Amino acid sequence: MGPVAGGGAGSAVLPGQGGRARITVRPGRRPVRGRTPFAVLVVVLLAAGLLGLLALNTALNEGSFELSRLQRQTTVLTDEQQGLQHQIDQNSAPDALARRAAELGMVPAGGMAFLDVPNGGKVLGTPAPAQDGQPVKRSTVEPWPGKAQPSPSAQPVAPAPGGDTTVQINPAAPAPAPTAGAGR
């Protein structure tokens, strides 16, 4: 065998050590810091994540219920809007307007005339007054509810032979025009 460097009886030098001292690990006390803090940190992070997911899920469910409620409300309001639009369309029809005008005592217009301003003020058509032989009868329907007092220019007249009350309208005097220097 080869030479023994610094060794005693029966000890052989291992290749690569070159006679250096050997390091050995002896079992002893474990260090105070072990796996416990890491395990506690992992458990805390998992618990916080689960609580965050629970809070997020609850908020999403509340938003879903609010969305459903608002969609139902939108449907109801859309139906109401369509019903009101249909009623407006019915009341705006020409026959409905003519019927309502007749209820208020209005008569159809006579011949109509138009003034063509761009062409030198030429009158187009033949003007004619509205034709209604009898005085205007007072309607049984009040056109402006809540206005119980008649205007000062309207004066009731004795009942007509048909039992209806007629109204005579007296035009009011025109208001005076404001003067140019009145505001100074």
Side-chain angles (χ1 to χ4, degrees):
M1 274 212 199
V4 176
S11 66
V13 176
L14 296 174
Q17 282 196 349
R20 290 187 253 162
R22 206 180 223 195
I23 298 175
T24 59
V25 177
R26 296 185 186 173
R29 288 183 36 188
R30 289 187 165 230
V32 176
R33 299 178 96 184
R35 294 181 185 169
T36 308
F38 178 72
V40 169
L41 177 67
V42 169
V43 169
V44 168
L45 288 176
L46 282 174
L50 287 175
L51 288 176
L53 282 175
L54 180 65
L56 179 65
N57 193 16
T58 303
L60 288 175
N61 283 338
E62 286 177 1
S64 175
F65 287 130
E66 181 72 12
L67 179 64
S68 297
R69 183 186 67 80
L70 290 175
Q71 285 175 339
R72 282 192 307 271
Q73 183 179 5
T74 300
T75 303
V76 168
L77 291 176
T78 301
D79 291 344
E80 182 181 349
Q81 187 263 343
Q82 288 176 351
L84 292 173
Q85 186 64 44
H86 180 68
Q87 185 179 2
I88 288 171
D89 292 342
Q90 283 181 340
N91 290 337
S92 298
D95 60 336
L97 291 175
R99 185 179 63 249
R100 180 72 177 135
E103 288 174 1
L104 294 174
M106 300 173 107
V107 294
M112 299 198 332
F114 301 96
L115 186 61
D116 189 8
V117 175
N119 293 329
K122 183 178 177 184
V123 176
L124 303 174
T126 306
Q131 299 296 320
D132 189 29
Q134 300 178 0
V136 178
K137 296 181 181 181
R138 183 176 198 124
S139 174
T140 58
V141 179
E142 184 64 34
W144 294 282
K147 267 188 140 178
Q149 301 175 358
S151 64
S153 64
Q155 302 164 351
V157 180
D164 292 331
T165 305
T166 58
V167 176
Q168 181 180 359
I169 306 292
N170 297 327
T179 59
R184 296 180 187 189

